[in-house]
Amino acid sequence: MASMLNLKEATGNQSSWDTLLPDFPKGPLCKYRQKASFNWKEMAVLLDGEDIIQLKNRIFSALESDPLFAHHPGEDLCREKYQELTFLRCKRLFEYDFLTQQEIMENPLRIFNMVICIGMYDWSLCLQYFLHCGVFAGPILSASKRFADFVKQIYSMEIFGCFALTELSHGTNTKGIRTTATFDRSTQEFIINTPDFEAAKFWVGNMGKHATHAVVYAQLYTPDGQCQGLHSFIVQIRDTKTLLPVPGVMVGDIGKKLGLNGLDNGFAMFHNVRIPKENILNITGDVTAEGKYSSSIKDVKERFSATLGSLSTGRILITALSTTNLKLAISIAIRFSAARRQFGPTDEEEIPVLEYQTQQWRLLPYLAAAYALDYFSKSLFENFVEFYAGLLTKQRSQRQADLGREIHALSAASKPLSSWTAQQAAQECREACGGHGYLAMNRLGEIRNDNDPNCTYEGDNNILLQQTSNYLMSWMNCIRDKAPFESPFGTINFLQDYHHILGWKFTSISVEDSMDSSVPLAAYKWLVCYLLRESDLKLSKEKQSGRSDFEAKNNCQVYYCRSLAIAFIEQTVLQRFHDYTHDPSLPPTLQPVLKNLSALYGLWSLSKHLAVLYQGGYASGEQAGRFIQNAILDLCNRLKDDAVALVDVFAPPDFILNSPIGKASGELYKNIWAEILQGSKALNRPSWWAEFCINKPVAGRLRSRL
């Protein structure tokens, strides 16, 4: 894994770290920075490596130096102006061309980090850029070489793309998509049609104002009237010279959203829109000139999964985007909490709110989660790179199929875990920063609102968890038969000890004994096996009672399969972070704090499952619960003095973070005051002043006289 490769780089010297990472300005946060048990620069180099830090510095510096990206305090942009500015900035990103194809090939984590850097500045911009260069371009790149000209046009921005899958009446249920593509043998064209307004393509990012082309998902019909299932097609929707709709296409913007309003989400309807036969993205199937359908994937279910393979890419990215939102929110809240002083042991002495146990308990587990999920999201991306390399080389091996299944199961659960964690963290951070957290200028509301759709797009979180639990349940036959099995990345290998693990008990004998991540990790293994057993039994009982497969599965979600999927992904995240933090080659100067983070994340996550641990007999008596709770509080206290340095490791520069209370100086009140007074209308009297000063109301004038 990439982070493991960086272990050698962490042994670099102080001068190289200082060149890469300048010192922070002096201010109220210095006290905490001096108390830290480790060097934050050494940690940053360990986690990212010098190559990625240089890339981040280059991107951040370019954005801060460019007037087009300047912030305008106190200015409320209307939606249309925000969309225009987002598009102009997107164009500018093409001009910067931060990474060449060669650089991406050498280290794919570069593109991963570039997308995150742009997102830290503004998620609308990030998504507009990535939807075009990644989500639109991805399926085209995966198809045959005949699309080489399209690819050139994508990266020169001669065309602008979108990914048109969802419809007004169908989102997560992609099998229900009703747009049609009928092959006309006489003209060698596909005819794209929208049967009615409920089948209009809807929620499509970039479609509202800018996209000229779309990857459109439609049911493919051959001349014999047979539906061959869902396939994707390149369809032009606007003229590239005028941005007006092409004949047969009605396309528009769906309106204001709760967040991400710089991104133009749109709708489209098609009426007999003809496209060349060659515009089918022949990833999973194609049609001959005579109208015969052919596919190298004979199994219909497997073909459907391959058609939507690009969705796993999106879910892996959303895992990283959500984790980034978590990092942004916790950076602001920790810095605020270390600088904000309220109350104290005497009337004369006020102490930082970070010193209070409640504030530590509210925030520090989310700091630990940020580290654990960040490590996991990078490792999952690297897993995907291995799988994607097989796709590009058209591998059809069993291992390739197994890679796809495992990545699908992992991404279908990591997206819910990371997006929900970030959503809960953003709200907790907002409240932990008091009234100042509610000021829009401090960005916590924007982070919360921009993160919100991560819980929904690329698959509703609760529905996605079913796909992970289905994957886990599929191993039950092997488990019952005690047949050997394993997965390419090893995430389900511990289930080979299923029968043995179910006999485990909580064995810690003290709070201190509980403060290593091996303790929650063992509990999680038992929890996954227990929930797998209970879910399997529940499903069997439902079927035995005469219910259909559909009804039986529906009745097994809450408290069973849903809990199973969540426990499994939390266990997987913890397993990878535990293995990393306990690696003997980690620098001894960094290992203690990383182990504390791993233990806190594991125990805090596990504490939400305490009822099931007792219910299933893993834990009994008062002590187990008390040990876990007290260990969480002790770890929060241990990490308190390291908290500021830990957010310094991943917080972007002040210009990018764009939060007066989150600035690196910690000068809360100076920063808020300066931001307020920079607003162009902060001191203006209202334009409606005369309504108070001149036009006084006549009390009771409009009261009914009846």
Side-chain angles (χ1 to χ4, degrees), residues 81-153:
K81 189 66 183 172
Y82 185 15
Q83 288 181 349
E84 178 189 355
L85 198 54
T86 301
F87 189 72
L88 292 174
R89 288 168 174 167
C90 188
K91 275 179 61 180
R92 189 61 57 87
L93 293 178
F94 277 83
E95 293 170 341
Y96 280 117
D97 196 19
F98 289 117
L99 288 172
T100 64
Q101 286 297 319
Q102 181 62 32
E103 287 172 321
I104 295 168
M105 293 291 285
E106 287 170 2
N107 182 1
L109 272 170
R110 288 172 177 157
I111 190 71
F112 178 87
N113 279 279
M114 187 191 85
V115 170
I116 287 170
C117 287
I118 296 165
M120 285 182 170
Y121 170 77
D122 178 33
W123 288 116
S124 289
L125 172 62
C126 170
L127 290 172
Q128 182 161 91
Y129 182 79
F130 182 71
L131 283 169
H132 172 69
C133 294
V135 181
F136 171 68
I140 298 172
L141 284 165
S142 298
S144 64
K145 292 177 182 176
R146 71 186 185 208
F147 298 106
D149 285 342
F150 266 111
V151 173
K152 286 177 188 172
Q153 289 176 306

Side-chain angles (χ1 to χ4, degrees), residues 198-482:
E198 290 188 4
K201 292 300 178 185
F202 204 82
W203 273 114
V204 182
N206 287 350
M207 183 178 265
K209 301 288 182 188
H210 303 115
T212 61
H213 290 71
V215 168
V216 174
Y217 281 80
Q219 303 292 349
L220 168 58
Y221 283 85
T222 42
D224 58 5
Q226 291 293 308
C227 179
Q228 305 296 344
L230 203 62
H231 288 70
S232 51
F233 305 82
I234 301 175
V235 183
Q236 184 166 358
I237 58 174
R238 287 188 179 92
D239 187 288
T240 55
K241 292 184 169 58
T242 64
L243 271 194
L244 293 173
V246 299
V249 177
M250 181 173 81
V251 59
D253 189 281
I254 65 171
K256 189 175 182 179
K257 309 179 292 287
L258 295 180
L260 296 175
N261 281 300
L263 180 67
D264 53 311
N265 291 79
F267 64 87
M269 294 182 72
F270 304 96
H271 179 67
N272 292 333
V273 176
R274 290 179 171 269
I275 61 170
K277 173 184 175 296
E278 293 72 32
N279 279 27
I280 183 173
L281 292 173
N282 54 345
I283 303 165
T284 58
D286 210 338
V287 176
T288 66
E290 293 74 34
K292 299 289 184 188
Y293 180 76
S294 65
S295 174
S296 59
I297 306 171
K298 302 308 175 190
D299 183 76
V300 175
K301 282 187 178 179
E302 193 182 328
R303 191 189 307 153
F304 179 76
S305 298
T307 301
L308 296 175
S310 56
L311 294 183
S312 282
T313 322
R315 289 165 193 156
I316 290 164
L317 185 74
I318 292 169
T319 300
L321 303 190
S322 300
T323 302
T324 304
N325 280 325
L326 170 59
K327 288 155 74 174
L328 293 173
I330 204 68
S331 295
I332 294 167
I334 292 287
R335 285 176 173 174
F336 172 89
S337 300
R340 173 83 161 175
R341 292 173 174 268
Q342 298 287 286
F343 308 107
T346 67
D347 290 343
E348 291 73 38
E349 181 191 1
E350 289 189 305
I351 62 172
V353 295
L354 187 56
E355 293 298 318
Y356 291 99
Q357 185 187 70
T358 305
Q359 195 80 345
Q360 296 165 21
W361 173 77
R362 293 170 75 185
L363 296 179
L364 296 185
Y366 285 114
L367 176 59
Y371 271 81
L373 286 168
D374 183 60
Y375 182 77
F376 177 78
S377 69
K378 289 172 183 171
S379 70
L380 183 60
F381 178 77
E382 292 193 314
N383 294 158
F384 176 75
V385 168
E386 181 183 342
F387 170 68
Y388 192 65
L391 278 185
L392 291 178
T393 53
K394 310 291 184 192
Q395 287 185 27
R396 291 271 184 249
S397 65
Q398 185 59 48
R399 176 178 168 78
Q400 182 68 15
D402 291 344
L403 283 171
R405 286 183 68 223
E406 190 170 8
I407 282 173
H408 179 74
L410 290 171
S411 63
S414 67
K415 183 185 96 77
L417 177 63
S418 60
S419 58
W420 277 333
T421 304
Q423 200 64 3
Q424 292 151 9
Q427 182 62 28
E428 195 66 68
C429 290
R430 204 297 296 153
E431 293 181 38
C433 293
H436 294 318
Y438 194 64
L439 269 174
M441 70 169 72
N442 287 320
R443 205 183 169 190
L444 288 167
E446 177 192 311
I447 291 167
R448 182 183 60 195
N449 289 348
D450 284 356
N451 183 77
D452 208 358
N454 289 335
C455 303
T456 301
Y457 50 36
E458 304 287 333
D460 172 85
N461 280 357
N462 284 286
I463 306 298
L464 284 181
L465 289 170
Q466 293 183 36
Q467 299 186 28
T468 304
S469 61
N470 289 344
Y471 174 75
L472 294 169
M473 297 278 276
S474 74
W475 296 102
M476 277 309 295
N477 284 336
C478 291
I479 290 169
R480 273 190 289 266
D481 297 342
K482 298 186 178 178

Side-chain angles (χ1 to χ4, degrees), residues 594-668:
L594 286 170
K595 281 186 172 181
N596 285 339
L597 288 167
S598 183
L600 178 55
Y601 174 70
L603 290 166
W604 172 73
S605 298
L606 184 69
S607 68
K608 299 167 195 171
H609 303 283
L610 269 178
V612 183
L613 296 178
Y614 276 98
Q615 180 183 315
Y618 181 77
S620 59
E622 291 182 7
Q623 282 195 323
R626 289 259 172 86
F627 286 166
I628 289 170
Q629 290 169 346
N630 289 334
I632 289 169
L633 295 177
D634 282 6
L635 285 162
C636 285
N637 188 53
R638 283 188 188 183
L639 285 163
K640 170 201 56 164
D641 290 344
D642 285 325
V644 170
L646 285 167
V647 300
D648 286 344
V649 170
F650 55 61
D654 288 347
F655 172 79
I656 301 294
L657 188 58
N658 193 28
S659 171
I661 63 171
K663 285 192 173 182
S665 68
E667 297 283 4
L668 296 182

Side-chain angles (χ1 to χ4, degrees), residues 36-91:
S37 67
F38 67 98
N39 184 320
W40 73 271
K41 296 181 183 183
E42 183 183 13
M43 182 75 83
V45 173
L46 170 73
L47 297 181
D48 272 338
E50 294 190 8
D51 174 53
I52 296 300
I53 292 172
Q54 286 167 352
L55 173 66
K56 287 181 175 180
N57 290 346
R58 191 153 49 91
I59 295 169
F60 291 150
S61 176
L63 300 187
E64 187 168 2
S65 304
D66 191 329
L68 184 60
F69 293 87
H71 299 302
H72 302 283
E75 183 180 333
D76 281 326
L77 287 176
C78 70
R79 195 168 70 95
E80 189 169 359
K81 189 66 183 172
Y82 185 15
Q83 288 181 349
E84 178 189 355
L85 198 54
T86 301
F87 189 72
L88 292 174
R89 288 168 174 167
C90 188
K91 275 179 61 180

